[in-house]
Amino acid sequence: MLQQLRERYRRYDEEATQVRKKAAPADGLFGFGNDPKNHPCHEQFYEDVGRWTAEFLETQPSPGDSLDAARFLIEAPKTCAGPESYWMMYAAQGWCRELVCRLDPEGCAQLRALYDELYPKRDRMPVHQELYKALKKGSGRMGNSIPSFFAKLHEKKPM
């Protein structure tokens, strides 16, 4: 199934690029003409990713398959997108939130580290902040064998 998603991303990037190439130089300027940013292909892509996510979840994917899918959604704007498709691929990361429940704590921690590496906090939109919080919560399910510094401070010691 992941191959279907990869193919959809590839087609969308090509389509968004073609829409921009076919646009007149002044299209969208001052709200006139056919602004390529308002082309239906962008909304269609976002909806397609949502449908794919729902179909994927219906298959009861393993944590490993869910990790692969979520990793692709997170990496795609950096690896698959051209300038015309980047922002919608970035927005489509919101569908990752649906996959977090299928991840194990280690997978959540891996994706959280990847997210930190690829997307600085200052560049995240609210949907991305929600995804990050879900990954943080999911990675918090890991058993922590080393107590934090603050937990050690608050431990009661026998007298």
Side-chain angles (χ1 to χ4, degrees):
M1 271 195 90
L2 188 54
Q3 189 56 37
Q4 293 170 340
L5 184 63
R6 290 178 199 272
E7 180 60 23
R8 180 61 187 117
Y9 269 68
R10 187 193 62 73
R11 282 194 327 263
Y12 168 64
D13 183 56
E14 287 176 1
E15 187 174 8
T17 300
Q18 287 304 314
V19 166
R20 174 47 98 187
K21 284 181 180 178
K22 291 178 183 178
D27 274 351
L29 193 62
F30 305 116
F32 295 106
N34 296 318
D35 189 346
K37 294 176 192 161
N38 295 331
H39 193 274
C41 72
H42 304 298
E43 187 173 339
Q44 182 64 46
F45 167 75
Y46 185 82
E47 291 172 359
D48 285 351
V49 175
R51 276 191 292 280
W52 182 90
T53 304
E55 291 170 11
F56 179 73
L57 288 171
E58 286 176 8
T59 69
Q60 298 295 310
S62 69
D65 290 343
S66 299
L67 177 63
D68 291 342
R71 182 185 312 275
F72 175 78
L73 289 170
I74 289 171
E75 290 177 336
K78 300 287 187 176
T79 61
C80 301
E84 307 306 326
S85 60
Y86 175 85
W87 289 106
M88 191 54 72
M89 287 185 186
Y90 189 44
Q93 287 178 356
W95 293 110
C96 273
R97 290 177 303 175
E98 306 296 322
L99 301 173
V100 172
C101 65
R102 302 291 307 168
L103 299 172
D104 58 26
E106 293 81 15
C108 287
Q110 286 176 23
L111 290 178
R112 202 170 118 213
L114 177 65
Y115 216 79
D116 278 332
E117 178 185 326
L118 295 177
Y119 304 102
K121 189 174 183 177
R122 68 181 178 275
D123 294 342
R124 297 177 194 161
M125 295 182 212
V127 70
H128 305 108
Q129 292 168 355
E130 290 174 22
L131 170 59
Y132 189 82
K133 286 178 189 174
L135 291 169
K136 186 175 181 177
K137 184 178 179 182
S139 63
R141 296 185 308 242
M142 285 193 305
N144 191 356
S145 59
I146 303 171
S148 73
F149 172 76
F150 294 105
K152 285 184 179 180
L153 285 176
H154 294 289
E155 285 178 358
K156 291 191 178 189
K157 298 190 183 201
M159 290 192 201

